[in-house]
Amino acid sequence: EVELVESGGGLVQPGGSLRLSCAASGFTLSSYWMYWVRQAPGKGLEWVSTISSGGTTLCAASVRDRFTISRDNAKNTVYLQMNSLKPEDTAVYYCVRSPDPYAGSWLPAPMTKDFGYWGQGTQVTVSS
C-alpha cells in the first residue's frame, strides 16, 4: 500500500531553516516523480518543488534559491531543505507522488488532491 509520511515541520523564526522529510513505502521512490505542495492558511494549494524520476529538480519562483528538494533512494525518502524562511512560507507542506512511474510532469496537474498520492502533511510556521 502506498504511504507517504511527512515530518520535520515546526515553529521557526524568520530567516531560520527547516528540513522536511517524506518517508515513502509501498513503492520504489526512484521510479516516480515526487513533489512538495503547500497550503497556506485560507489559501489554495501551491506547488513548491519537483524531483523527477531521473533526479532533475525544479522549484517555484517563490522559493527558488532558498529551498532544495532531494531524495535518498536507499532510504526511500524525499527531503525539502528550507532556508531563509519567511512568514509567507507558513503552510501545511505535503509530499506528493506522481500517479504513474517514470512518466511525470513538472507541475502537478490538476493541482488538487485528486492528483497522485498525498501524505498527511506537516505544519511549518514562520513567526517571530
Side-chain angles (χ1 to χ4, degrees), residues 10-55:
L11 176 63
V12 65
Q13 294 186 338
S17 298
L18 284 173
R19 189 195 196 201
L20 306 184
S21 297
C22 172
S25 60
F27 67 97
T28 300
L29 183 68
S30 61
S31 298
Y32 290 82
W33 292 52
M34 301 297 295
Y35 310 83
W36 286 98
V37 175
R38 68 185 181 185
Q39 186 167 32
K43 298 184 179 179
L45 295 168
E46 178 189 17
W47 168 75
V48 174
S49 190
T50 301
I51 184 165
S52 74
S53 58

Side-chain angles (χ1 to χ4, degrees), residues 58-80:
L58 185 69
C59 288
S62 60
V63 305
R64 201 163 293 156
D65 300 323
R66 299 189 298 119
F67 292 10
T68 302
I69 189 172
S70 63
R71 71 184 183 212
D72 186 331
N73 292 334
K75 295 181 178 180
N76 228 45
T77 300
V78 180
Y79 303 97
L80 185 68

